[in-house]
Amino acid sequence: MSDSLERLYQAVIAARDFDPATSRTARLFQRGPAKMAKKVAEEAVEVAIDAVAGKPDAVIRESADLFYNLAVLWAAAGIRPEDVWAEIDRRERLFGIAEKLPKTAAKPLKPSARSARERVVALEAHRLRKRR
């Protein structure tokens, strides 16, 4: 997957200086980060709506649109896909396989023989205790 996103990102980089009259990518770069962010948000909402509606084919198509618009936004912000992968790897090292970091600042788990699932459960339990 990361190879596909890297190729998409490189295509976005290559197209940013094309003629905005004929290139969607160049047009987004011309309109700036606010327009890019709006497109990311719109595509994310479309993915969610189609998922709730039980339309897997539409979720696939809209997800591809979301990745495209995210790649455009990353390029405009000077972020490379490998920067995102490095953050995912960092989180995994600190907290195990988790959907995302908790909202509160939690202490990283010490490496142990526990499974990734056990580490996530322990982290969530810690977070819930702190909320009480």
Side-chain angles (χ1 to χ4, degrees):
M1 179 173 104
S2 62
D3 289 344
S4 297
L5 287 174
E6 179 62 32
R7 285 192 308 276
L8 174 61
Y9 179 80
Q10 291 304 323
V12 164
I13 295 294
R16 71 178 160 194
D17 294 323
F18 289 176
D19 181 2
T22 58
S23 168
R24 177 182 193 88
T25 302
R27 197 165 38 257
L28 283 168
F29 273 94
Q30 184 181 53
R31 292 180 179 167
K35 179 64 173 179
M36 294 170 186
K38 181 180 176 191
K39 292 302 294 179
V40 168
E42 287 172 4
E43 298 302 342
V45 168
E46 289 174 5
V47 168
I49 289 169
D50 289 332
V52 169
K55 299 178 179 177
D57 291 342
V59 171
I60 292 167
R61 287 189 303 275
E62 296 301 338
S63 294
D65 291 347
L66 176 59
F67 281 137
Y68 162 75
N69 283 288
L70 191 54
V72 171
L73 189 63
W74 286 348
I79 297 167
R80 300 164 303 159
E82 58 263 28
D83 300 330
V84 178
W85 310 149
E87 174 60 11
I88 291 169
D89 290 343
R90 183 189 74 81
R91 290 178 182 196
E92 183 179 357
R93 282 191 311 277
L94 292 175
F95 301 104
I97 303 285
E99 291 81 21
K100 65 180 215 173
L101 291 178
K103 296 287 183 193
T104 59
K107 294 179 183 177
L109 298 172
K110 293 180 182 176
S112 71
R114 291 191 296 180
S115 71
R117 178 168 169 60
E118 289 171 319
R119 289 192 305 263
V120 170
V121 169
L123 180 62
E124 276 300 307
H126 174 73
R127 185 181 67 79
L128 291 172
R129 280 192 303 275
K130 287 186 81 167
R131 289 177 62 190
R132 293 182 187 159

